[in-house]
Amino acid sequence: MAPPTGPGRFTRFVRRASSEGKLVVQPRMGFGTVEQMRAGLDAVRTVDAATVGTITVDSYTRVNDHASALLALEEGADLNGFPLVAHGAAATRELLAGIAGDDFPVQVRHGSALPGALFEGLVAAGIDATEGGPVSYCLPYSRVPLAQAVDAWAECCEMLAGISEPVHLESFGGCMLGQLCPPSLLISLSILEGLFFREHGLRDISLSYAQQTNQQQDIEAIRALRSLAKEWLGDTDWHAVLYTYMGVYPRSRQGAYGLLEDSARLAARSGTERLIVKTAVEASRIPSITENVDALERAARAAEREAVAEPAGIPDSGIYEEAQAIITHTLTLGSDVGKALVRAFALGHLDIPFCLHQDNANRCRARIDDRGRLTWADPAGVPIPRARDLAGNRRRLTARGLIDMLSYNERRYDNPSRISHPR
Amino acid sequence: MTSVSSDSHMWNLVFLQLLLEENGGKVINLGACAPDELVMSECLRIRPDALVISTVNGHGHIDGLRLIRKIRGHAVLASMKVVIGGKLGVHGSRQAGSRAELVANGFDAVFEADADLDRFLDCLGLGTPPPRRVASTDIRST
């Protein structure tokens, strides 16, 4: 079958909104039953903003424990997402009937290192957008050996590429462990996964970046991501997607919305096409439909008020050069992107700070500096230009010190008058 | 220390390992998404003083019950100290009865998301002030 040409439904929708100056906003939303999920999608569809729908699968489906998902459904137990495989393609197709369409594309979000069964299920249900990646859904989310995840993702990408309607695939590489991963590394992983997708036949992709701790730095990072995407992936249909902060979230309503609105302004100022939001209750539980709708509207309004792309005076702290160095070096390590990724992690040249997966060296370290910027403490084996100056630059991390860094945004948004930078 | 089979969260595990080590504990961290069989076999191999289960994805109640029933049903592991904590359901801390059910099925203590860390350390015989005897109802009321 000839590979599809031109962007698919998901990307066409994002392009259209972008040309109208609108930020596409998207929830992370998943419910166990078809009824709840349909109500959720319906509510998101009617939000006064350019929205795309999300079906987040539950974590049994993520680890291919479909029997536990089925059992939970039978017993009426609460699931933390939609068990797409357990429900089956027919029920999922029915769920989307009259909801998903050109004006409301729906993406399946999951977290699976071995997404074969899920991808078959979503394709059979007529879904044409999903996300993840061989690294970003293996190292932080599973115990699956990286080489096995790479093989599984290669097969899955090729399966998606063989479908007559273009399927959109988003890299989750810009969000490793949610926080405390240096921006240049996030960007590198997004681009490398994008290259992996392209190598396996996909031409309709997006590249992610997760909001961190300093808006100026994030603007620099997103600008670097866009430049690198043009250089490395210019022959694909790509756009950028920003995640509202994925780390420890503020507890107060005011703090939570403050951080959300800052992410929407960041998206607008950096020309990001799509934003995945968080809600006011993120710190304590899985949000309700109403809470998701509130968050989407808040984010859309904040982006509209900002509406300036490419602000003057973007700082240059070398994020672009670092990411370029990491990508270029990684690609020398294998005859294809997948092999290069596996080898880079085995050598510790790619290394995710604090990630416990057995195939991650876990030697490099990040920290939040006295200006609130997320920086390298010790890059260990990661080949950035300043690596030699920074190597071994680590003090013993304590539980208190880690919590201080993890809760940096929580503190400053919950108590704006008491900003204290972690040491 | 471990998570449960369907939970991929990691920061809780990184933090708890540091906390336990700073308070004199020796920690073997099995990491995220640990299948029940792995937790059981590692406990049989290591024979730890205590098994700490930390989970925040909302399936902790379901997965924790399944795991503790297997542990308590095992001749060798039946008497091991096992505690669980984190965010155990999808509705925050509004799940009355959930903690009681976990304890009734064999957990020595249940620590929900806002539990006091000193009491957690106390329960494991670690930390300062020096371990004191705590009534079981006291431990279980967090």
Side-chain angles (χ1 to χ4, degrees):
Chain A
M1 189 184 296
T5 51
R9 180 168 75 177
F10 191 85
T11 293
R12 289 198 306 269
F13 178 86
V14 172
R15 289 266 171 82
R16 194 166 72 230
S18 185
S19 71
E20 291 166 1
K22 287 182 195 160
L23 173 67
V24 173
V25 290
Q26 179 178 356
R28 45 171 56 74
M29 181 193 270
F31 299 105
T33 67
V34 172
E35 294 69 32
Q36 281 175 300
M37 196 67 246
R38 192 174 170 93
L41 288 170
D42 223 15
V44 171
R45 188 170 63 123
T46 52
V47 166
D48 179 22
T51 55
V52 296
T54 301
I55 296 174
T56 301
V57 305
D58 72 294
S59 55
Y60 290 128
T61 303
R62 180 170 55 68
V63 295
N64 284 301
D65 183 2
H66 306 299
S68 287
L70 205 55
L71 187 66
L73 284 181
E74 282 165 8
E75 291 181 346
D78 286 316
L79 284 167
N80 57 9
F82 183 75
L84 193 145
V85 176
H87 278 306
T92 307
R93 199 174 269 280
E94 206 170 298
L95 157 72
L96 293 168
I99 293 189
D102 285 349
D103 292 324
F104 188 61
V106 172
Q107 184 188 40
V108 167
R109 304 190 62 88
H110 56 102
S112 190
L114 302 174
L118 175 64
F119 279 21
E120 279 168 22
L122 67 88
V123 165
I127 293 169
D128 52 18
T130 185
E131 47 86 62
V135 172
S136 59
Y137 273 179
C138 176
L139 298 188
Y141 282 96
S142 80
R143 310 179 75 85
V144 174
L146 180 60
Q148 194 186 339
V150 164
D151 288 347
W153 273 87
E155 208 171 287
C156 283
C157 286
E158 281 159 20
M159 189 267 280
L160 296 182
I163 294 164
S164 57
E165 280 301 304
V167 176
H168 180 82
L169 188 59
E170 169 197 322
S171 162
F172 193 71
C175 186
M176 306 301 287
L177 266 68
Q179 58 183 332
L180 293 183
C181 187
S184 59
L185 187 52
L186 293 174
I187 293 165
S188 306
L189 290 165
S190 244
I191 298 284
L192 286 164
E193 286 195 335
L195 288 166
F196 179 89
F197 298 162
R198 188 184 63 174
E199 185 171 85
H200 294 286
L202 293 169
R203 291 290 180 276
D204 186 339
I205 63 180
S206 50
L207 304 161
S208 60
Y209 178 75
Q211 178 189 22
Q212 299 296 328
T213 51
N214 178 295
Q215 195 181 70
Q216 287 295 98
Q217 185 185 34
D218 285 341
I219 287 173
E220 179 189 345
I222 295 167
R223 180 187 238 194
L225 174 68
R226 300 190 75 91
S227 299
L228 291 162
K230 277 179 208 151
E231 290 167 39
W232 289 98
L233 292 158
D235 57 350
T236 64
D237 285 301
W238 67 269
H239 68 266
V241 53
L242 176 69
Y243 300 142
T244 300
Y245 190 58
M246 291 285 280
V248 176
Y249 216 70
R251 286 158 189 257
S252 69
R253 187 181 165 82
Q254 190 185 345
Y257 278 145
L259 187 49
L260 170 68
E261 289 178 358
D262 272 357
S263 72
R265 284 191 279 270
L266 170 63
R269 292 183 68 192
S270 61
T272 303
E273 290 89 346
R274 182 159 58 96
L275 174 72
I276 296 179
V277 306
K278 282 217 171 179
T279 68
V281 299
E282 218 61 53
S284 56
R285 60 181 162 80
I286 291 180
S288 68
I289 293 171
T290 313
E291 286 153 351
N292 271 295
V293 166
D294 279 354
L296 292 166
E297 284 181 345
R298 285 248 174 188
R301 295 298 91 79
E304 278 166 13
R305 287 195 299 271
E306 190 75 5
V308 251
E310 289 292 308
I314 300 170
D316 181 2
S317 65
I319 292 175
Y320 170 88
E321 284 74 18
E322 284 185 9
Q324 187 74 280
I326 295 168
I327 296 164
T328 309
H329 173 76
T330 300
L331 293 173
T332 65
L333 298 176
S335 55
D336 61 40
V337 181
K339 289 191 182 75
L341 287 168
V342 172
R343 180 105 177 107
F345 276 101
L347 293 169
H349 296 178
L350 288 175
D351 185 2
I352 302 162
F354 307 103
C355 174
L356 301 171
H357 192 282
Q358 69 273 17
D359 290 338
N360 186 57
N362 196 10
R363 287 193 296 124
C364 84
R365 284 292 176 264
R367 69 186 181 95
I368 299 170
D369 72 11
D370 54 9
R371 290 180 297 166
R373 297 167 62 93
L374 177 57
T375 60
W376 298 95
D378 178 359
V382 181
I384 59 165
R386 297 177 297 140
R388 199 173 294 170
D389 303 336
L390 293 166
N393 178 26
R394 58 204 296 175
R395 64 176 82 186
R396 188 168 165 270
L397 183 70
T398 62
R400 181 73 251 168
L402 178 68
I403 281 287
D404 274 354
M405 291 200 295
L406 292 176
S407 61
Y408 176 78
N409 272 341
E410 180 195 7
R411 275 201 313 284
R412 70 189 182 118
Y413 280 92
D414 275 345
N415 304 296
S417 60
R418 289 175 45 221
I419 295 174
S420 70
H421 295 289
R423 287 183 303 278
Chain B
M1 204 177 77
T2 186
S3 187
V4 291
S5 61
S6 76
D7 191 353
S8 64
H9 290 83
M10 252 176 218
W11 288 115
N12 48 326
L13 302 175
V14 176
F15 166 72
L16 281 178
Q17 176 165 4
L18 288 171
L19 180 80
L20 292 169
E21 286 172 348
E22 282 164 25
N23 286 279
K26 278 190 202 159
V27 177
I28 294 170
N29 191 341
L30 301 184
C33 293
D36 295 358
E37 298 68 34
L38 177 78
V39 178
M40 302 277 286
S41 65
E42 285 296 283
C43 286
L44 284 167
R45 188 177 68 81
I46 300 159
R47 302 299 296 275
D49 295 326
L51 173 66
V52 174
I53 301 171
S54 173
T55 169
V56 296
N57 79 341
H59 287 179
H61 177 74
I62 307 173
D63 290 346
L65 274 181
R66 189 190 62 232
L67 178 57
I68 196 66
R69 285 171 183 152
K70 288 184 192 171
I71 289 172
R72 294 307 179 218
H74 191 284
V76 178
L77 300 177
S79 59
M80 176 174 65
K81 180 179 280 189
V82 188
V83 305
I84 189 168
K87 291 172 186 162
L88 301 169
V90 300
H91 300 297
S93 24
R94 289 187 287 126
Q95 279 176 321
S98 153
R99 188 177 59 230
E101 192 182 6
L102 289 164
V103 170
N105 279 274
F107 279 106
D108 292 288
V110 177
F111 299 92
E112 287 183 74
D114 292 324
D116 182 65
L117 289 176
D118 286 338
R119 295 175 68 182
F120 165 67
L121 291 168
D122 263 4
C123 174
L124 296 176
L126 298 172
T128 52
R132 59 188 167 83
R133 283 198 71 82
V134 184
S136 60
T137 51
D138 193 18
I139 292 170
R140 291 170 190 181
S141 66
T142 45

